[in-house]
Amino acid sequence: MLIYPNIDPIAVSLGPLQVHWYGLMYLMAFLCAWGLATYRTKQREGWNADMVSDLIFYGALGVVIGGRFGYVFFYGFSQFLADPIWLFKVWTGGMSFHGGFLGVMIAMLFWCKKYQKTWFETLDFIAPCVPTGLMFGRIGNFIGGELYGRQVSDPNFALGMIFPTDPLQLVRHPSQLYQALAEGLILFIVLWWFSSKPRPRMAVSALFLIGYGIARFVVEFFREPDHGQLFIGWMSKGQFLTVPMILIGLWMMWYAYQKKIYDWGPLKNS
């Protein structure tokens, strides 16, 4: 059994100012996305570092605002009705990937209008830079001891772990690390490889939806469902929200290769 490192959630304390590891992980996520996107401009005509900085800023707003609204309305609507001010208490924790995803989609519309780029040209450009942010976010969850996994049947399971935040003190899967690996590192490698060559417009975005959707759906079997189950007693809300992503991604991939519109490379035709 692994020993939980029990890291202090406060990384830096300077008098009344306290910097939490979770906040630092968000900072690392945005810095990494900025660095990767800036590197990608070397392969793309019509892209530059200033556009990338603006893109990351718009994306950060979408992640934070959409992530918080998504968590409150997808997972804590009853608490919101009882205490509407809770929506703005971001320091208490609670962010939703699906809400953040929708927030980024909306933010990209405003960015595209400003820079006269098509929506999917922009999404295809930035999608390979997103998984590293997901990885840092899950590491932040692990450090905070939140969103831990389900109980393992064998207490001697090599990857089992007891989280100090678990009131039952059960041996559980470190599902945050599973997600950091599957939704983060592995998805990043796949997307970075796939997007390193010209692909039809929409294909990279489609692969992100498919890859994230499958990774999230599978890892949810190891994660403690913090908001109850849906349908036939086994599907979590996270899985339910992920199914449309996979289906839409599959349709987008088919559509992309039917239309064959290329935004860069020797086959560029739009």
Side-chain angles (χ1 to χ4, degrees):
M1 186 176 67
L2 298 175
I3 304 299
Y4 181 76
N6 202 17
I7 302 171
D8 188 337
I10 299 175
V12 180
S13 183
L14 301 173
L17 177 64
Q18 294 182 335
V19 180
H20 290 248
W21 279 107
Y22 199 66
L24 286 180
M25 291 299 103
Y26 264 80
L27 177 61
M28 289 294 296
F30 294 130
L31 287 176
C32 191
W34 173 81
L36 291 170
T38 301
Y39 177 82
R40 283 173 66 77
T41 62
K42 299 177 182 179
Q43 296 179 308
R44 305 289 197 278
E45 295 179 2
W47 289 85
N48 58 55
D50 290 337
M51 294 169 65
V52 165
S53 297
D54 226 12
L55 182 64
I56 298 301
F57 175 72
Y58 277 67
L61 289 179
V63 167
V64 174
I65 297 174
R68 182 58 181 172
F69 272 71
Y71 181 83
V72 170
F73 289 102
F74 291 156
Y75 298 109
F77 192 65
S78 59
Q79 185 172 348
F80 167 74
L81 292 178
D83 179 19
I85 302 300
W86 177 63
L87 173 66
F88 304 101
K89 296 179 180 179
V90 294
W91 58 89
T92 62
M95 297 287 283
S96 161
F97 167 81
H98 298 91
F101 178 78
L102 292 175
V104 170
M105 296 300 100
I106 295 172
M108 292 301 98
L109 289 174
F110 289 97
W111 186 92
C112 290
K113 183 177 181 180
K114 178 178 179 179
Y115 287 99
Q116 298 300 303
K117 294 281 188 182
T118 65
W119 198 46
F120 279 110
E121 179 184 3
T122 303
L123 295 181
D124 287 347
F125 174 83
I126 199 64
C129 308
V130 173
T132 54
L134 300 178
M135 179 180 69
F136 284 118
R138 294 308 180 189
I139 293 173
N141 293 146
F142 178 77
I143 293 174
E146 59 183 3
L147 306 182
Y148 42 71
R150 304 187 189 199
Q151 180 183 6
V152 298
S153 57
D154 180 5
N156 296 315
F157 177 62
L159 296 179
M161 184 175 288
I162 298 176
F163 291 88
T165 51
D166 175 19
L168 301 178
Q169 291 295 281
L170 300 173
V171 179
R172 298 181 179 274
H173 288 279
S175 58
Q176 313 99 320
L177 300 183
Y178 298 172
Q179 289 184 273
L181 179 64
E183 303 167 8
L185 183 60
I186 294 175
L187 183 57
F188 166 72
I189 292 172
V190 171
L191 280 174
W192 195 262
W193 165 79
F194 185 75
S195 64
S196 63
K197 297 180 180 180
R199 307 291 181 180
R201 182 187 294 171
M202 203 184 292
V204 176
S205 300
L207 184 60
F208 173 84
L209 291 177
I210 296 168
Y212 175 84
I214 292 174
R216 177 67 182 268
F217 194 92
V218 172
V219 175
E220 280 281 326
F221 286 114
F222 301 96
R223 173 175 161 176
E224 182 70 16
D226 50 343
H227 298 286
Q229 303 284 350
L230 295 174
F231 308 119
I232 66 178
W234 63 268
M235 181 179 285
S236 70
K237 184 169 287 188
Q239 289 172 316
F240 172 70
L241 293 172
T242 298
V243 168
M245 296 180 66
I246 299 173
L247 297 177
I248 292 172
L250 290 171
W251 178 84
M252 285 171 52
M253 186 66 78
W254 172 83
Y255 186 82
Y257 278 93
Q258 288 292 312
K259 291 296 183 179
K260 296 182 180 179
I261 300 174
Y262 289 82
D263 292 310
W264 68 284
L267 297 178
K268 182 177 179 179
N269 53 10
S270 174

